[in-house]
């Protein structure tokens, strides 16, 4: 988890903003167990490895609670100020930059612990991880890959409606109709992402096998994740970012005052939530 590109942080951030205030605390207070269980869903650890992992994860979250949660509060407070009067392209670039900085700081802190843990993963465990990654057939990207164009469109819209209904307190029927015009399915993009993920996973397995170069390779991976992207993904990703940015700006321009207030109230809830978590020792 700690060596995937910073875009993953954006996804995690969106998930946090999609749950209730109390659930945010529950999620964070049990994030250590969720992380360990996630890793063990791919690698069967022995007792010594599990004990070491537990200590490293406990240390990481102690650091994160003390060092990073205050920074997240500061980020949310600044985001609230920007969001109150409507967002523009500069605001989107700022969010992207800030999230990247947050993610890089996490990776920088965790880099040595990642290396020391991966150094004790043996060949059998690497093979198990490879097989489990290859058999992963229940995630949303795989499901999208077997959909028709109309099914994909419905799937994307349903996910968008669900998130925006929660964030804005409910969409007007006219807003849903407008969003349905803006959002268009792209089956080729789904296929490109799947091939990119396959390369990423294969590179990860090869990295785990090269123990003598593991430290250098992990550092390179963290610093330049795009070096593990396919060429076709590199060719398309910037256009897709521009597409997502345009849709985001159009959604914000059509946000009603009551909906914006609902979103600001939610931001206030998360700010207080993270402040409470920061103060918890």
């Amino acid at each position: 988890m700690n060596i995937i590109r910073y875009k993953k942080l954006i996804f995690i951030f969106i998930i946090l903003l999609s749950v209730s205030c109390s659930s945010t605390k529950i999620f964070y207070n049990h994030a250590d167990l969720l992380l360990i269980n996630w890793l063990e869903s791919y690698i069967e650890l022995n007792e010594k490895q599990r004990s070491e992992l537990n200590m490293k994860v406990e240390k990481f979250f102690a650091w994160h609670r003390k060092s990073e949660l205050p920074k997240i509060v500061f980020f949310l407070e600044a985001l609230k100020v920007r969001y109150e009067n409507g967002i523009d392209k500069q605001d989107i670039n700022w969010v992207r930059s800030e999230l990247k900085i947050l993610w890089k700081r996490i990776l920088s802190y965790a880099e040595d612990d990642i290396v020391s843990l991966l150094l004790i993963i043996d060949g059998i465990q690497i093979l198990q991880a490879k097989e489990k990654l290859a058999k992963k057939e229940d995630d949303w990207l795989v499901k999208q890959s077997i959909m028709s164009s109309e099914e994909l469109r419905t799937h994307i819209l349903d996910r968008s409606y669900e998130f925006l209904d929660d964030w804005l307190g409910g969409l007007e029927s006219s807003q849903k109709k407008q969003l349905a015009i803006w959002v268009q399915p792209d089956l080729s993009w789904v296929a490109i992402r799947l091939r990119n993920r396959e390369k990423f996973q294969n590179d990860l397995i090869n990295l785990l096998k090269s123990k003598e170069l593991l430290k250098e390779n992990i550092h390179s991976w963290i610093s330049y994740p795009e070096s593990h992207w396919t060429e076709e993904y590199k060719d398309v990703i910037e256009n897709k970012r521009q597409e997502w940015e345009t849709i985001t700006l159009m959604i914000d321009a059509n946000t009603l005052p009551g909906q914006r207030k609902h979103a600001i109230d939610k931001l206030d809830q998360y700010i207080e939530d993270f402040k409470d978590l920061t103060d918890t020792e």
Side-chain angles (χ1 to χ4, degrees):
M1 177 176 179
N2 297 86
I3 56 177
I4 60 177
R5 58 188 179 278
Y6 79 92
K7 183 180 176 184
K8 198 69 173 181
L9 180 61
I10 299 176
F11 174 75
I12 295 172
F13 179 71
I14 291 173
I15 291 298
L16 278 174
L17 296 184
S18 300
V19 297
S20 70
C21 181
S22 60
S23 294
T24 304
K25 292 183 180 180
I26 294 172
F27 179 92
Y28 188 87
N29 285 328
H30 292 83
D32 53 346
L33 296 177
L34 294 173
L35 176 58
I36 292 170
N37 288 338
W38 176 84
L39 180 61
E40 289 201 285
S41 70
Y42 292 101
I43 301 175
E44 296 180 15
L45 301 175
N46 59 42
E47 288 302 318
K48 181 178 179 180
Q49 291 169 332
R50 187 176 295 108
S51 176
E52 183 169 340
L53 175 62
N54 286 335
M55 288 188 293
K56 292 184 185 304
V57 170
E58 182 178 353
K59 185 185 76 168
F60 169 80
F61 278 102
W63 165 80
H64 189 269
R65 186 184 295 270
K66 181 177 180 180
S67 172
E68 297 306 291
L69 284 188
K71 296 181 177 68
I72 292 175
V73 169
F74 183 80
F75 165 75
L76 290 175
E77 289 174 336
L79 175 61
K80 175 188 169 184
V81 172
R82 288 173 177 265
Y83 183 74
E84 282 178 329
N85 296 318
I87 59 174
D88 56 22
K89 185 174 182 179
Q90 184 179 3
D91 293 320
I92 292 177
N93 290 336
W94 174 81
V95 169
R96 184 180 294 145
S97 175
E98 290 298 307
L99 289 173
K100 186 174 183 178
I101 291 170
L102 286 169
W103 188 232
K104 287 288 187 180
R105 194 160 50 240
I106 287 173
L107 293 176
S108 178
Y109 176 85
E111 184 175 331
D112 288 343
D113 284 340
I114 293 171
V115 172
S116 64
L117 178 65
L118 294 182
L119 280 172
I120 60 175
I121 301 298
D122 62 33
I124 294 177
Q125 290 171 313
I126 294 172
L127 181 60
Q128 290 172 343
K130 182 177 181 180
E131 291 175 348
K132 289 181 179 180
L133 285 170
K135 292 178 180 178
K136 188 176 182 180
E137 300 176 349
D138 59 347
D139 64 39
W140 61 269
L141 187 57
V142 171
K143 291 178 180 178
Q144 285 187 340
S145 70
I146 59 176
M147 293 179 182
S148 67
S149 181
E150 186 57 34
E151 288 172 335
L152 178 59
R153 180 175 181 273
T154 299
H155 181 72
I156 295 172
L157 284 174
D158 285 346
R159 288 166 61 91
S160 300
Y161 294 153
E162 182 179 1
F163 172 72
L164 291 172
D165 278 337
D166 178 71
W167 179 244
L168 300 175
L171 290 175
E172 301 284 334
S173 59
S174 60
Q175 292 173 313
K176 289 188 176 183
K177 289 178 182 178
Q178 192 65 60
L179 187 60
I181 296 173
W182 297 333
V183 175
Q184 297 298 324
D186 189 346
L187 290 170
S188 65
W189 174 233
V190 175
I192 288 171
R193 282 182 291 166
L194 272 176
R195 288 191 290 269
N196 185 69
R197 187 170 72 180
E198 182 178 358
K199 171 179 168 41
F200 193 86
Q201 292 174 346
N202 287 337
D203 287 356
L204 174 60
I205 295 301
N206 290 331
L207 179 148
L208 293 176
K209 293 178 180 178
S210 56
K211 301 295 188 185
E212 66 279 2
L213 297 175
L214 187 62
K215 184 175 179 61
E216 293 81 358
N217 287 340
I218 288 291
H219 181 76
S220 175
W221 191 301
I222 289 173
S223 302
Y224 308 103
E226 61 274 9
S227 64
H228 298 278
W229 296 352
T230 63
E231 290 303 317
E232 62 177 350
Y233 186 86
K234 294 177 186 177
D235 291 340
V236 177
I237 183 59
E238 188 53 40
N239 287 337
K240 283 298 177 182
R241 283 174 179 160
Q242 293 297 324
E243 178 183 322
W244 301 329
E245 180 181 291
T246 298
I247 293 175
T248 299
L249 291 174
M250 290 191 295
I251 290 172
D252 188 74
N254 284 272
T255 297
L256 301 173
Q259 293 171 331
R260 192 173 301 279
K261 182 181 184 304
H262 184 276
I264 291 170
D265 288 343
K266 288 183 73 68
L267 276 174
D268 280 332
Q269 290 176 349
Y270 296 123
I271 289 168
E272 291 305 312
D273 227 18
F274 284 117
K275 283 182 177 179
D276 288 346
L277 286 165
T278 302
D279 294 338
T280 303
E281 296 295 339

